[in-house]
Amino acid sequence: MFVNNLKLHKFVKNYQLKSYFIQFRPFFVFLLKFFLVYAGLTVLYKLYLNQFEDSLVYKVDGLTQMVANQTQKILQWLNFDCQLQLHAAESSVKVILEGVYVSRVVEGCNAVSVMILFAAFVVAFSGKLKQTLLFIVTGVLIIHVLNILRIVLLNIALLYYPAYQEILHGVVFPAFIYGVVFGLWVIWVNKYSFYATDTEK
């Protein structure tokens, strides 16, 4: 009797585990796809950054340099005297606005890590291949443009309000860019993903 009860208990437990797995399968699939894409893109990005690592010379990667150059052009278009200088003690670009060193553009300023996070989420919430790729490309372009505008506005704000550097750089402008990404995610999930299609049915 004890052996039969033990087998029954084991059977019920296995059945419950299988039932839980089936119930939460979409969530597990989402997590798996998200982490695979996120890890894969992060590794590729790190391999790209490794090209610019040198113990003797400080180098700025091409994407970060591009962001700095585009920031300079927009500031100059806004009639600001903006000059760029490579930092002598680290891998970054100094932004000198109206003769004042207001900020530095570092690797983290290029928003690639945010773009990777955005793309991984979109892929994890599956949609049609063409729509998925188009939405990722469009989203990355939107993030890039808004990131440049974020850096431009941040530099102007730091020129006139340097005392608010911590709150501007650490809270206000990051909230802006992550808010945009969250909005894009909401649009994707509710309009274009398979989840949205299933919900409509």
Side-chain angles (χ1 to χ4, degrees), residues 65 68-72 82-86 93-96 105:
Q65 185 67 61
N69 292 338
Q70 291 176 349
T71 298
Q72 179 190 31
C82 180
Q83 303 298 323
L84 302 179
Q85 287 183 7
L86 290 177
V93 180
K94 291 181 178 182
V95 178
I96 301 171
V105 179

Side-chain angles (χ1 to χ4, degrees), residues 33-75:
K33 289 167 70 175
F34 176 84
F35 283 114
L36 284 176
V37 174
Y38 184 80
L41 291 176
T42 300
V43 168
L44 290 175
Y45 182 52
K46 291 298 181 185
L47 290 173
Y48 164 76
L49 290 178
N50 287 343
Q51 304 174 67
F52 303 92
E53 289 187 0
D54 192 318
S55 58
L56 300 177
V57 181
Y58 290 105
K59 298 179 181 179
V60 178
D61 68 274
L63 292 173
T64 301
Q65 185 67 61
M66 178 185 72
V67 167
N69 292 338
Q70 291 176 349
T71 298
Q72 179 190 31
K73 288 178 181 178
I74 294 177
L75 284 166

Side-chain angles (χ1 to χ4, degrees), residues 35 100 161 176:
F35 283 114
V100 180
Y161 307 102
F176 166 72

Side-chain angles (χ1 to χ4, degrees), residues 92-163:
S92 66
V93 180
K94 291 181 178 182
V95 178
I96 301 171
L97 202 57
E98 300 297 331
V100 180
Y101 169 33
V102 292
S103 72
R104 58 197 174 89
V105 179
V106 299
E107 177 271 323
C109 297
N110 62 27
V112 172
S113 59
V114 178
M115 296 172 187
I116 290 174
L117 187 67
F118 165 76
F121 182 91
V122 171
V123 172
F125 257 108
S126 300
K128 294 178 180 178
L129 180 60
K130 186 177 179 180
Q131 282 186 334
T132 301
L133 293 176
L134 185 60
F135 194 84
I136 288 174
V137 171
T138 304
V140 165
L141 288 174
I142 290 172
I143 292 169
H144 174 70
V145 170
L146 293 180
N147 183 54
I148 297 296
L149 293 177
R150 173 186 75 95
I151 297 172
V152 167
L153 293 174
L154 178 59
N155 276 283
I156 295 173
L158 291 177
L159 176 65
Y160 295 109
Y161 307 102

